[in-house]
Amino acid sequence: MNFHSMLAARGAAGRPVRVGLIGGGKFGSMFLSQARRVEGLHVLGIADLAPERARASLDRIGWETARHDAASFATALKDGKTFITDDAEALVAADGLDVVIDATGDPAAGIRHVGLACRHQRHIVMVNVEADALAGPLLAQQARAAGIVYSLAYGDQPALISEQVDWARTCGFEVVAAGKGTKYLPEYHASTDGTVWDYYGITAERAAEGGMNAKMFNSFLDGTKSGIEMAAVANACGLDCPGDGLSFPPVGTHQLAAVLKPKADGGMLERRGMVEVISCLNRDGTAVERDLRWGVYVTFAAQDDYAARCFAEYGLVTDESGIYTAMYKPWHLIGLELAVSVASAALRGEPTGAPRGWNGDVVAVAKRDLAAGETLDGEGGSTVWGKLMPAADSLALGGLPIGLSHDVRLKNPIATGSPVRWQDVEIDETGTAVRVRREMEEAFAPTARAAE
């Protein structure tokens, strides 16, 4: 990629790539722990609603206080230090800033930060995949019109999957399926932020001591985060979503080519070109052999006999036909890898994955019977989980996006397992996030892809 030498050259010339981080949580802390070691990268500022929390995170990862004691953005720019603030807008507007990282996980905040990045001509890296699933196609379109890069975050699984898909297509292979691994059992869909720690085998007290957020961890468990991430992949890579949501088949790495192929050829996919998430657990709770819990994969097909013969000659694991095979990456390093996106945006003007169309959406589904008058508590909570759907199906249903399901009141009862629709909730149509989502639906409805 040559980013290391390009960054070093910028540093040597006194023009380091200057970065602003919004959100000093786990992902942001992981980025910061490595950013200080990258020549040619300068963290100009960090914005967090609780600046003391950000300072505590820096202390925890070993930053010397002298690195982040700048009194203003101006002194941080002059002295090569970092200024900490609670004002995200001031950070985005700061002189000298090249790239903004949104690591908030808040869809409404993400939409606002993209608007600020467009206004101030800053590239933006969206760790905030929640905002991307809610309105990413429109946000990326607005960024391109403003002449800036809107990018998925390298180290997070959607960007790594997008990289694998691009690799396969660049090599002339047909992409059959792409996705990631996770820990899944059907019962997890009913998990709440009150029961989540039982599934992880820790106490609520221990989780609190470690600063672990129950709703965030529950979103990973109940299937919501998988749906959000696969919507991002489908929209970035032009892949389709399963008609009835993710299946989470239990699959080991040695089985990828045999299972992640079309039903017509003996696999489990509706057709070629799908996203899917695989589980590290069999349905009886036993461990899958050679699981891919922390990794990402792509399955692809040889398009002639010669390529298939090369698969065999070079030891690729294929299905019985020899036509289908797979590549995978066993792990992802989350924020530790994020500098790749920063460098790609600043040095090459290229995203590490970005939505180009609207293929996938994530709709709120009831975890239990919900009564009229109840208030939904959003992603990772006790009332709803997020189910991946083809965008056209979501649009036809009038499904309520999971990103807008927090703190809204139900007008109608919803049965367990049923989707929540816009018409089922009281919602402020004048709010920025709602307006942007509605604009996205209108702009991309003609291209939304439905299940066949």
Side-chain angles (χ1 to χ4, degrees), residues 175-372:
V175 171
V176 177
K180 67 167 197 167
T182 195
K183 181 181 179 182
Y184 171 85
L185 289 174
E187 66 192 72
Y188 293 171
H189 289 312
S191 175
T192 73
D193 50 339
T195 65
V196 62
W197 302 128
D198 292 337
Y199 289 109
Y200 282 99
I202 63 175
T203 65
E205 292 75 19
R206 181 182 165 196
E209 290 171 0
M212 300 165 71
N213 183 298
K215 291 188 74 172
M216 180 186 73
F217 275 80
N218 196 47
S219 175
F220 282 103
L221 188 73
D222 70 10
T224 300
K225 190 70 75 174
S226 289
I228 287 172
E229 292 183 335
M230 290 306 99
V233 173
N235 294 338
C237 300
L239 297 172
D240 291 336
C241 300
D244 193 33
L246 296 168
S247 298
F248 300 95
V251 178
T253 55
H254 59 300
Q255 302 168 311
L256 286 167
V259 178
L260 277 302
K261 63 180 182 179
K263 292 178 181 177
D265 292 333
M268 55 80 62
L269 301 178
E270 296 167 25
R271 56 189 171 276
R272 297 186 181 201
M274 309 287 292
V275 295
E276 186 58 83
V277 174
I278 60 176
S279 178
C280 68
L281 296 178
N282 294 304
R283 291 298 189 257
D284 63 3
T286 59
V288 167
E289 182 184 358
R290 303 179 196 171
D291 72 81
L292 194 66
R293 178 179 179 181
W294 307 107
V296 297
Y297 76 88
V298 60
T299 60
F300 53 96
Q303 294 179 271
D304 57 40
D305 292 340
Y306 181 78
R309 186 163 66 250
C310 289
F311 288 173
E313 291 171 350
Y314 286 88
L316 276 71
V317 177
T318 68
D319 72 330
E320 290 183 357
S321 74
I323 294 173
Y324 294 98
T325 189
M327 286 286 187
Y328 62 91
K329 185 175 184 177
W331 302 282
H332 65 298
L333 296 182
I334 319 176
L336 301 180
E337 298 182 81
L338 187 56
V340 173
S341 288
V342 173
S344 184
L347 302 176
R348 290 187 176 161
E350 297 176 353
T352 50
R356 294 284 177 172
W358 191 31
N359 289 9
D361 197 18
V362 187
V363 172
V365 171
K367 289 186 172 182
R368 55 176 173 79
D369 288 344
L370 301 172

Side-chain angles (χ1 to χ4, degrees), residues 158-174:
L160 299 180
I161 297 166
S162 297
E163 178 184 52
Q164 289 192 315
V165 169
D166 186 66
W167 167 84
R169 288 172 172 164
T170 301
C171 294
F173 299 124
E174 178 186 7

Side-chain angles (χ1 to χ4, degrees), residues 19-23 31 99-103 123-127 338 342:
V19 184
L21 172 68
I22 306 175
F31 166 70
V99 181
V100 177
I101 300 169
D102 181 312
H123 303 307
I124 184 160
V125 176
M126 291 294 283
V127 177
L338 187 56
V342 173

Side-chain angles (χ1 to χ4, degrees), residues 23 32 40 47 84 87 134 141 181 194 212 278 291 316 325 328 408 427 430 438:
L32 292 168
I84 299 175
D87 190 341
L134 179 63
Q141 183 183 79
M212 300 165 71
I278 60 176
D291 72 81
L316 276 71
T325 189
Y328 62 91
V408 292
I427 199 159
T430 66
R438 289 301 205 185

Side-chain angles (χ1 to χ4, degrees), residues 373 407-411 421-428:
D407 202 25
V408 292
R409 184 180 174 89
L410 283 174
K411 294 191 294 185
R421 300 163 298 171
W422 286 92
Q423 67 189 50
D424 295 320
V425 298
E426 298 172 0
I427 199 159
D428 180 8

